[in-house]
Amino acid sequence: MRYISTRGEAPALGFEDVLLTGLATDGGLYVPESLPHFSLEEIRSWRGLPYAELAYKVMYPFVEDAIPADDFRKMLDETYSVFTHKAVAPLVQLDTNEWVMELFRGPTLAFKDFALQLLGRLLDYVLEKRNQHVVIMGATSGDTGSAAIEGCRRCEHVDIFILHPHQRVSEVQRRQMTTVQGDNIHNIAVKGNFDDCQRMVKESFGNQSFLGGKTQLAAVNSINWARIMAQIVYYFQASLALGGPDRSMAFSVPTGNFGDIFAGYLAKKMGLPISQLVIATNRNDILHRFMSGNKYEQHQLEHTLSPSMDIMVSSNFERLLFDLHGRDGAAVKDLLERAAKGPVSIEDYRWKHARKLFDSDAVDDKTTCDTIREIYEQNEYLLDPHTAIGVRAARNCRRDSAVPMITLGTAHPAKFPDAIAESGLSVKPQLPAHMADLFEREERYTVLDNNVSEVQGFIAKHWKNA
């Protein structure tokens, strides 16, 4: 399988190169040249498979040119064996035909573990094979950083530099990143917001001269295709658990960078019956404003109780725009260049095509807290603020009550005690046993100005072979 850029100018690459490259040389994102498609009969035959085996069925077509089947199966077995629930992604029922899929049973208590535990193993495999070293540079709004560090910290051929917005992630999220010890792990707190961090990462991938030609950058953000690939699997898992593919499913997805919900869009294109995808956002609602009114316009970023979605520039939205424009890279490049200067819209027929599958909602902090309290009082089930936004959006946007609605539970509530307290509940979410001493561990991070040259200089100085 070959991978092409959403901006149409970079060369097509194989899986290994896409894994290590992240951002294409033309500034675009890599997507498969063509997608595998599974028949209903084939999907039906996967019922009852363990999660790792289902992951193999769904993902192997994307990597088969680069990784032998037995090696990939071993990676998947190792990846999902560290999750704390045998089902890996268990479903919890909230109401008639309404479910939460718990994606926080991995080592860092967030859905990012599904992809980043695998990404670390993929990097180790490919870099060992090539005898190559890379520098991972990533930006996080909260959860990607800890999952990336946990997934990649044992990689022998990797140095990790994670940028997070200073004082704009929860304390648990920060400590999960900054208490992991290792000479190859570097946390940078940027005096800015997530979009500033993400911009620095993209700019650095576009010009890597600050590394002096001695190594290259690799991506762990969802610009890396391997991240998206791994997230497709749990859509199949949820469907098969609730009667799919013989009935359609609807999903509500808390999202800021559009990666998790784009994986659901791909699952549908690969043959899984999905009738609705709900984009659930907070006050940083650029995706909602586009999907509800065909206007893509950046506003000032706001700090909310759901910090992992405090994002205004949604990188993976470019991958959807590429499809909506008939995979015309030049058209996408032109649109995004105009979007950087002011509001843009797309042709009405393209927007209406997207609306056949997608709905959206924006949920403010008060409603988030009301939802946390309401669900707990109804079910004694505690939601984190991001999942609460997903549940509220699902209820506001649901098209058909006969279709199962599954909200992706993206994080453990213990990561966001301030939001739980603000909801008025007296219950205090507890960290799992393996994190019980998190607040006693020593932290290590460096605070830097919102300046790309300063960040690049720090990386150039501190990677192990500098």
Side-chain angles (χ1 to χ4, degrees):
M1 181 177 290
R2 304 291 287 173
Y3 294 83
I4 57 175
S5 169
T6 52
R7 301 197 187 180
E9 297 173 359
L13 300 178
F15 177 78
E16 281 191 16
D17 290 318
V18 164
L19 176 72
L20 298 178
T21 301
L23 202 64
T25 53
D26 59 5
L29 305 183
Y30 279 107
V31 292
E33 205 164 33
S34 61
L35 285 172
H37 189 274
F38 307 116
S39 67
L40 296 183
E41 182 180 11
E42 188 171 7
I43 297 171
R44 195 178 298 119
S45 73
W46 299 342
R47 285 178 181 165
L49 288 180
Y51 191 91
E53 183 60 21
L54 176 64
Y56 172 80
K57 297 286 189 184
V58 173
M59 284 193 278
Y60 193 61
F62 295 113
V63 305
E64 61 184 342
D65 294 340
I67 305 173
D70 288 347
D71 290 348
F72 192 55
R73 273 196 165 99
K74 182 182 178 185
M75 279 186 225
L76 294 171
D77 287 341
E78 291 175 351
T79 293
Y80 299 112
S81 68
V82 301
F83 282 59
T84 60
H85 196 290
K86 285 288 287 181
V88 181
L91 287 160
V92 174
Q93 189 166 10
L94 297 183
D95 204 341
T96 305
N97 250 2
E98 185 182 14
W99 309 79
V100 168
M101 190 173 204
E102 293 186 342
L103 301 178
F104 49 76
R105 299 300 192 123
T108 72
L109 314 183
F111 80 97
K112 310 290 177 75
D113 286 323
F114 279 81
L116 287 164
Q117 284 292 311
L118 176 60
L119 182 63
R121 290 168 171 85
L122 287 167
L123 285 171
D124 229 12
Y125 181 91
V126 171
L127 293 171
E128 179 68 28
K129 177 179 168 183
R130 293 184 169 201
N131 191 28
Q132 185 177 346
H133 181 278
V134 297
V135 169
I136 286 175
M137 184 181 182
T140 185
S141 55
D143 291 326
T144 289
S146 57
I149 289 169
E150 182 63 32
C152 302
R153 64 191 176 98
R154 297 180 185 87
C155 296
E156 295 182 9
H157 302 273
V158 164
D159 283 285
I160 310 170
F161 293 83
I162 298 295
L163 284 58
H164 72 268
H166 186 43
Q167 298 179 335
R168 293 195 176 187
V169 299
S170 79
E171 186 175 6
V172 172
Q173 288 177 311
R174 188 192 75 239
R175 286 179 174 274
Q176 281 186 295
M177 293 185 283
T178 61
T179 59
V180 180
Q181 302 301 310
D183 292 339
N184 67 331
I185 298 167
H186 304 273
N187 285 283
I188 300 172
V190 174
K191 295 178 183 177
N193 58 40
F194 170 77
D195 285 343
D196 295 321
C197 297
Q198 184 165 252
R199 173 182 49 79
M200 289 185 193
V201 170
K202 288 185 175 180
E203 190 173 327
S204 299
F205 270 86
N207 182 358
Q208 301 185 26
S209 59
F210 67 98
L211 295 172
K214 299 175 184 177
T215 186
Q216 72 173 73
L217 292 180
V220 290
N221 283 65
S222 52
I223 61 174
N224 192 313
W225 164 253
R227 282 275 306 273
I228 304 295
M229 174 184 80
Q231 292 167 337
I232 297 169
V233 179
Y234 42 70
Y235 288 91
F236 282 85
Q237 170 83 345
S239 174
L240 289 164
L242 296 176
D246 298 319
R247 62 195 304 209
S248 189
M249 301 288 153
F251 292 88
S252 178
V253 187
T255 190
N257 225 4
F258 204 75
D260 210 11
I261 196 163
F262 185 71
Y265 166 78
L266 292 179
K268 178 177 175 63
K269 290 191 71 176
M270 291 164 66
L272 188 68
I274 295 175
S275 59
Q276 184 185 17
L277 289 171
V278 179
I279 300 167
T281 70
N282 59 21
R283 292 200 310 273
N284 299 297
D285 61 348
I286 187 169
L287 293 171
H288 169 59
R289 286 183 282 111
F290 172 84
M291 203 54 69
S292 60
N294 192 15
K295 189 176 184 181
Y296 190 83
E297 180 182 19
Q298 295 179 31
H299 289 176
Q300 185 70 32
L301 195 74
E302 296 188 51
H303 186 41
T304 73
L305 290 173
S306 46
S308 297
M309 300 195 299
D310 289 347
I311 297 170
M312 191 57 67
V313 180
S314 300
S315 289
N316 285 290
F317 192 55
E318 179 170 338
R319 286 178 159 126
L320 178 66
L321 290 172
F322 185 57
D323 272 13
L324 292 177
H325 286 81
R327 313 204 108 196
D328 182 344
V332 171
K333 182 179 180 182
D334 173 70
L335 179 72
L336 293 173
E337 286 175 350
R338 288 188 286 114
K341 301 171 184 174
V344 295
S345 299
I346 63 174
E347 292 89 343
D348 193 56
Y349 76 94
R350 299 188 196 277
W351 176 73
K352 286 180 177 176
H353 179 71
R355 286 301 313 270
K356 289 178 182 178
L357 177 63
F358 290 99
D359 286 292
S360 65
D361 196 15
V363 180
D364 62 23
D365 280 352
K366 180 184 182 302
T367 308
T368 300
C369 291
D370 290 346
T371 305
I372 292 171
R373 185 175 62 255
E374 176 187 324
I375 295 299
Y376 188 79
E377 289 173 349
Q378 291 173 351
N379 300 308
E380 292 192 354
Y381 186 73
L382 197 58
L383 300 173
D384 90 284
H386 307 80
T387 308
I389 287 171
V391 169
R392 179 55 57 193
R395 293 182 172 185
N396 289 348
C397 297
R398 193 168 190 176
R399 297 178 184 176
D400 186 348
S401 61
V403 175
M405 173 62 80
I406 303 148
T407 295
L408 300 192
T410 53
H412 194 291
K415 300 185 84 162
F416 305 97
D418 291 348
I420 306 302
E422 198 156 328
S423 71
L425 295 175
S426 58
V427 61
K428 292 185 178 180
Q430 298 299 309
L431 287 166
H434 74 277
M435 283 189 190
D437 65 343
L438 181 65
F439 289 86
E440 301 163 19
R441 301 174 190 172
E442 180 187 355
E443 287 193 87
R444 290 190 314 151
Y445 64 98
T446 302
V447 181
L448 296 180
D449 288 334
N450 185 6
N451 181 293
V452 68
S453 296
E454 187 172 340
V455 170
Q456 289 177 346
F458 180 88
I459 294 172
K461 181 179 178 181
H462 288 91
W463 72 276
K464 72 178 68 170
N465 294 324

